[in-house]
Amino acid sequence: MIGKDHTGRRSGIGELVRHVQDGTPVDDPRVPALVGRWDALGDRFHAAGAGADGERTRAAARVMWQETSEEISRSLPWPADRMRELVGYLERARQAG
C-alpha cells in the first residue's frame, strides 16, 4: 500500500499522476505541496536527515528504479511508463521550485 490506499489518496500520489496526465505545469501552485508529500514519503525509506547516508540511499533507489522500473511497477497500481513520467515530472518540479 502507498499512503492510505493503493490509489495514493492520502500521500497525494494519485493526484500527482493526474497532474502528469492532465499536463499541469510543474510550476502550478498546487504541485509543490504534493511534491513535498511525495518526498516526505520517500524520506521514510531513505534515512531522511542522515546526510550522506540519506543521499546514498536516494541515489541507489534512483538507479534501482532506472534499471528495474518494469519489474517494480508490476506491484504498483500504475504502469511503468506512467511512473517514469511521474518521476520525470517530480524532478522538473523540484528544479522549478
Side-chain angles (χ1 to χ4, degrees):
M1 265 204 268
I2 300 171
K4 184 174 182 178
D5 64 20
H6 73 280
T7 64
R9 284 186 195 135
R10 185 171 54 184
S11 64
I13 296 169
E15 196 171 345
L16 277 165
V17 169
R18 282 189 298 283
H19 281 303
V20 172
Q21 290 175 316
D22 294 345
T24 305
V26 295
D27 58 355
D28 183 287
R30 298 170 291 177
V31 174
L34 292 169
V35 173
R37 286 166 47 193
W38 171 278
D39 289 342
L41 179 64
D43 285 347
R44 294 179 183 175
F45 301 96
H46 302 305
D53 287 339
E55 187 49 43
R56 279 195 294 272
T57 60
R58 281 188 217 48
R62 284 190 293 271
V63 169
M64 183 176 67
W65 172 253
Q66 290 168 354
E67 293 177 354
T68 61
S69 59
E70 291 291 331
E71 184 175 334
I72 292 170
S73 69
R74 286 187 213 131
S75 64
L76 300 173
W78 302 285
D81 60 339
R82 189 165 302 155
M83 291 306 295
R84 278 191 292 274
E85 291 172 2
L86 174 59
V87 170
Y89 185 82
L90 290 164
E91 290 172 5
R92 291 189 306 278
R94 287 185 196 107
Q95 290 171 357

